[in-house]
Amino acid sequence: MFDLHPPGYEYKTGRGLKTTPIYERQKEQGAIFGESMGWERPKWFDRDRVGETPSYTRNRSFETVAKECHAVRDAVGIFDLSSFTKIEVSGADAHGFLSRVLANNVPTKVGGLALCHLLNDNGVIEAEMTVTRLDEDRFFILSAGGMRARDFDQLQKLHTPQFDIEFTDVTDDYGCLAIGEPKSRDVLNKLKDADLSNAAFRWLSAKEIIVAGVKVRALRVSYAGELVWELYAPMDGLSKLYDALLTAGEEFGIVTAGMYALNSLRMEKGYRGFGTEMTNEVTPIEADMMRFVSKRKTDFRGAEALAGNRTKLSGYQLVYGEVDAPHLDIMGSEPIYAGDPLVGLTTSGGYGHCSGKNLAFAYVKSDAVAGPLHVETLGNRYAVTLLDDPAFDPENLRPRA
């Protein structure tokens, strides 16, 4: 417990407690697994079967993760995201309840999808959720795997008797395979029964479709910032779906990818992470997430505080930038300096394999943002150049392709 664990270290005990039906198949493919809330998740795929050596600098996973990232950007990749928290909210008052507790506008049309944040009364961020409207009275909520118990508990605690709603944790009922970029539509077109064109299946929408004989909830959304479908399939159909996607994708160069690649891809897009950039210590103002706060409603939880009545900003703001370190990557919690004064702390980082930039997020004192800034890691300081736009696809065109 009190040992100094290098990045990439995984506990050996308490493992294999929660696996999906494709776990053994992934082991055969060389998956190096990490644990999250009991789930076994592929971090990367060790195709040479050498194994992982935890390190404070770059290890042998670096080149393999680069190949996974380029496959997702240039051809087609497949991620196992089954550990996501999955909650159904149903009942006549489901929309009204979610609209009252979430800061963004909740989808009004069946098939609509929105990224929403649960705030507390002081306006700070308690949870991030993707909300999909399945029917008039039924919603499908997704959040981070590590937040399963907390998010379910928070929603239940906000329930009051005037709302006719029911909460169901369906995390164990559905697996998730995300297939993305630019040839993902070509792969799915060989297996599906639905029109996947932009006109018929727009970005940020969802449909129930049949893929390889498996009924799935297909969401066109992506943490990688690409043309991606997240396919939520019943656990007993996950193996069939996985094998069918890999077979159909062979001619397009499909590659299995893990969490390391996903982190690299989201860093290039400037996407915040819950538990790092978004915590219950900051508001959407400090996290630069006000674009996900509704301008049409004023009665959601935390609205009054965000309007300035009770929110006391910390004096810090989130920044995004490139680190001049050619041999190691930012992990989070490294100090940021403006000359001698300590002015901030990194939250997360990663090398952007497709942009060629070493990237990091950090909270920095607002009066120090003008810099120059340096991050300290392993006893040395490295210059940080702030970026105004994402390092890759700054106009966000690729998810709409």
Side-chain angles (χ1 to χ4, degrees), residues 102-124:
L102 298 176
N104 203 357
N105 298 312
V106 176
T108 57
K109 296 181 179 180
V110 174
L113 184 155
L115 183 67
C116 300
H117 296 89
L118 176 66
L119 311 180
N120 69 15
D121 291 334
N122 293 321
V124 302

Side-chain angles (χ1 to χ4, degrees), residues 307-334:
N309 293 338
R310 279 177 288 174
T311 296
K312 294 182 179 179
L313 298 180
S314 66
Y316 288 80
Q317 69 182 71
L318 186 68
V319 298
Y320 170 72
E322 181 179 2
V323 180
D324 185 19
H327 63 298
L328 52 81
D329 305 320
I330 297 303
M331 306 300 297
S333 296
E334 294 93 345

Side-chain angles (χ1 to χ4, degrees), residues 66-105:
K67 294 176 183 177
E68 293 178 10
C69 290
H70 282 290
V72 175
R73 296 285 194 219
D74 303 330
V76 60
I78 185 169
F79 297 92
D80 177 9
L81 304 181
S82 298
S83 64
F84 278 179
T85 295
K86 313 170 196 77
I87 301 170
E88 287 190 4
V89 181
S90 57
D93 296 323
H95 182 271
F97 169 79
L98 293 173
S99 186
R100 288 289 298 274
V101 301
L102 298 176
N104 203 357
N105 298 312

Side-chain angles (χ1 to χ4, degrees), residues 6-85:
Y9 176 87
E10 297 286 342
Y11 288 104
K12 305 297 189 295
T13 55
R15 298 300 298 274
L17 301 178
K18 296 189 72 63
T19 61
T20 70
I22 62 175
Y23 173 71
E24 293 298 332
R25 180 90 156 87
Q26 291 170 329
K27 284 176 65 176
E28 294 171 1
Q29 295 167 327
I32 300 293
F33 290 94
E35 179 273 330
S36 176
M37 201 64 177
W39 288 95
E40 296 292 331
R41 305 190 307 178
K43 297 191 296 184
W44 61 289
F45 285 82
D46 180 18
R47 292 160 179 85
D48 297 326
R49 305 297 197 278
V50 176
E52 182 173 40
T53 303
S55 171
Y56 288 99
T57 57
R58 292 172 183 163
N59 61 18
R60 61 174 306 276
S61 69
F62 185 80
E63 295 299 329
T64 302
V65 172
K67 294 176 183 177
E68 293 178 10
C69 290
H70 282 290
V72 175
R73 296 285 194 219
D74 303 330
V76 60
I78 185 169
F79 297 92
D80 177 9
L81 304 181
S82 298
S83 64
F84 278 179
T85 295

Side-chain angles (χ1 to χ4, degrees), residues 204-248:
L204 297 181
S205 67
K207 292 183 179 182
E208 289 193 337
I209 63 176
I210 304 294
V211 178
V214 180
K215 186 176 182 179
V216 302
R217 296 174 179 177
L219 279 59
R220 190 174 163 187
V221 64
S222 167
Y223 198 41
E226 295 289 347
L227 173 65
V228 171
W229 278 269
E230 292 181 359
L231 306 177
Y232 292 86
M235 279 294 186
D236 60 6
L238 197 66
S239 292
K240 180 180 179 181
L241 180 63
Y242 188 61
D243 289 340
L245 291 171
L246 289 176
T247 299

Side-chain angles (χ1 to χ4, degrees), residues 263-264 267-268 329-331 348-353 357-360:
N263 182 67
S264 172
M267 287 298 305
E268 289 186 317
D329 305 320
I330 297 303
M331 306 300 297
S348 65
Y351 188 79
H353 290 281
K357 297 182 184 295
N358 195 352
L359 301 165

